[in-house]
Amino acid sequence: MVQIEQGAGRFYVAGDGKDLAEIVYRLDEASGDLVIDHTYVSEDLRGQGAGEELVRAVVDKAREEKLLIVPVCSYAAHQFKKHPEYEDVLSGDESRHS
């Protein structure tokens, strides 16, 4: 279990003065959807579930704020396929955001 921090347009895991993992998202003004653009996990955290926890943090944010998510990032898109329980926040409009 990693400690996830929230910043402007991102969730991240910090350690030793640098980001060990992050997920970057933005609010699409036209649709009102959260667009996940990028996910990064350092070698130090690979295989420990940090990426999954970051995606879950954005999913939780979307649920709290009643938003939908467009997973443009391939890792986030994979997590949405792997976790059907995220379907309630998945936007069906991926083509407009890439």
Side-chain angles (χ1 to χ4, degrees), residues 3-4 6 14 17 28 30 34-35 61 65 73 76 82 84 88:
Q3 179 66 39
I4 295 179
Q6 184 170 7
D28 182 281
L34 284 180
V35 179
K61 175 183 178 60
E65 297 181 17
C73 159
K82 185 176 172 185
D88 63 313

Side-chain angles (χ1 to χ4, degrees), residues 20-79:
L20 298 176
E22 78 170 342
I23 191 165
V24 178
Y25 61 88
R26 61 187 161 82
L27 183 65
D28 182 281
E29 297 293 330
S31 67
D33 293 341
L34 284 180
V35 179
I36 298 176
D37 287 317
H38 172 72
T39 306
Y40 164 76
V41 177
S42 68
E43 290 293 330
D44 297 345
L45 291 181
R46 292 239 167 100
Q48 298 178 37
E52 286 193 46
E53 289 187 44
L54 289 168
V55 172
R56 190 174 311 117
V58 179
V59 167
D60 290 345
K61 175 183 178 60
R63 285 178 176 152
E64 287 170 20
E65 297 181 17
K66 309 245 184 299
L67 299 171
L68 295 177
I69 295 174
V70 179
V72 172
C73 159
S74 60
Y75 179 82
H78 172 74
Q79 289 300 311

